[in-house]
Amino acid sequence: MRMNDLPRMQVLITTNEQQIEGELLLPENMRFSNTIPDNMLFYILNGGYQFITIKNCEVKDRKNLAFRPDKSPQLHINISCVMTVQIIEILPDDFEYDEDDYDSVGK
């Protein structure tokens, strides 16, 4: 799902018990003043949402990595359980954002 040609993000989410890797779905009513992926992730995590949705995800048990990872077409994660979120990759690879956006962030 893409909204207004925004980038899709492959993320790695860490909870107390699991590591979840998959594509972050953007909320349909979310409006971004700056579409740099790092800023979009900040807006999503601090926008007052209770859940985030990950699609085509792989869920690993952090305490026993010997178990085969579970796969799920879609997973809803309570934000209060999230310890860390890391952007692994911007999808598709041909997405480009303007370098001027990074220059205006620190000003």
Side-chain angles (χ1 to χ4, degrees), residues 18-51:
Q18 300 170 326
Q19 285 184 334
I20 304 157
E21 183 177 337
E23 183 181 335
L24 178 65
L25 288 182
L26 301 174
E28 289 201 20
N29 60 349
M30 187 63 123
R31 301 288 182 257
F32 300 100
S33 60
N34 189 333
T35 58
I36 294 174
D38 295 338
N39 290 341
M40 291 171 54
L41 187 59
F42 177 82
Y43 296 145
I44 291 167
L45 294 175
N46 295 295
Y49 295 98
Q50 188 172 1
F51 290 91

Side-chain angles (χ1 to χ4, degrees), residues 29-87:
N29 60 349
M30 187 63 123
R31 301 288 182 257
F32 300 100
S33 60
N34 189 333
T35 58
I36 294 174
D38 295 338
N39 290 341
M40 291 171 54
L41 187 59
F42 177 82
Y43 296 145
I44 291 167
L45 294 175
N46 295 295
Y49 295 98
Q50 188 172 1
F51 290 91
I52 54 177
T53 303
I54 306 294
K55 78 175 196 181
N56 300 325
C57 60
E58 187 174 271
V59 181
K60 298 176 186 173
D61 185 355
R62 286 185 63 202
K63 297 183 186 215
N64 191 348
L65 294 176
F67 286 133
R68 184 175 8 170
D70 291 329
K71 296 192 185 261
S72 176
Q74 186 164 323
L75 184 66
H76 301 285
I77 303 168
N78 190 325
I79 287 184
S80 65
C81 296
V82 173
M83 292 172 51
T84 63
V85 179
Q86 176 183 3
I87 298 173

